[in-house]
Amino acid sequence: MSILEIIQFPHPLLKTKTLPVEGVNAAVERLVRDMIETMYHAPGSGLAANQVGVGKQIMVADVSKAEEEPNTIVIVNPQIVSVSEETIIANEGCLSVPDFNAELSRPAQVTVVGKNLAGEEVEIEADGWLARVIQHEIDHLNGILYIDRLGRLKRQGYIRKRKKALASGEKK
Ligand code: ZN
């Protein structure tokens, strides 16, 4: 297993829609193991394959608390099939969008279908933080960052700050 580099805004792969995985093979399994290790190392509660430079529809998540047992979720080719009308506002951040957080409204519950690592169809009904993480990661797989869902002023404010930081030679 190895820890992969997480690409950061404005890397073009973050804006690129990923492609479905045709079959869960050894290479996919290895990538997923590395993504899980990278997510725990960051640490983050979710990671999409294009954040580690792979344009495939794969996401991992773990929303368990520090005192709980780890509960890793892997979804290959995840698709949201329904969302609740009820929405919820929460503070969101992203490993690919350094030094920024913002409040964002999203549906409170989602149902997602996809495949697990055994290649079996799975359906997950999620609420709470997991619902948010799943939406955030599937957005990634569709080339959408959470800052794309913010108002224009907030988004432009971040982009300006980020460009300044990059120009001054900061890595983060
Ligand atoms: Zn993210």
Side-chain angles (χ1 to χ4, degrees), residues 41 43 126:
H41 179 259

Side-chain angles (χ1 to χ4, degrees), residues 78-113:
Q79 302 285 338
I80 290 174
V81 288
S82 71
V83 298
S84 61
E85 266 177 46
E86 184 200 343
T87 56
I88 197 160
I89 295 173
N91 197 38
E92 209 164 311
C94 178
L95 297 172
S96 294
V97 180
D99 306 320
F100 191 64
N101 290 89
E103 293 204 323
L104 183 61
S105 171
R106 291 192 188 263
Q109 290 110 26
V110 295
T111 304
V112 60
V113 296

Side-chain angles (χ1 to χ4, degrees), residues 21-151:
V21 173
E22 306 246 324
V24 179
N25 56 24
V28 170
E29 281 174 32
R30 194 198 151 111
L31 170 65
V32 166
R33 279 202 303 272
D34 288 347
M35 284 174 63
I36 291 167
E37 195 181 4
T38 304
M39 170 180 74
Y40 287 133
H41 179 259
S45 44
L47 195 67
N50 50 337
Q51 288 184 278
V52 293
V54 179
K56 293 282 182 192
Q57 290 176 9
I58 303 168
M59 62 157 287
V60 298
D62 187 341
V63 299
S64 61
K65 297 191 179 73
E67 67 274 18
E68 295 171 343
E69 288 289 306
N71 182 17
T72 317
I73 290 167
V74 176
I75 318 175
V76 175
N77 300 340
Q79 302 285 338
I80 290 174
V81 288
S82 71
V83 298
S84 61
E85 266 177 46
E86 184 200 343
T87 56
I88 197 160
I89 295 173
N91 197 38
E92 209 164 311
C94 178
L95 297 172
S96 294
V97 180
D99 306 320
F100 191 64
N101 290 89
E103 293 204 323
L104 183 61
S105 171
R106 291 192 188 263
Q109 290 110 26
V110 295
T111 304
V112 60
V113 296
K115 286 192 165 153
N116 63 18
L117 267 191
E120 301 158 343
E121 300 285 339
V122 292
E123 181 175 316
I124 297 171
E125 279 178 38
D127 58 11
W129 191 242
L130 182 60
R132 179 159 295 257
V133 170
I134 286 173
Q135 293 174 75
H136 179 111
E137 303 314 330
I138 292 177
D139 269 356
H140 270 302
L141 298 176
N142 289 318
I144 299 165
L145 293 172
Y146 85 97
I147 54 172
D148 297 327
R149 295 194 178 277
L150 300 175

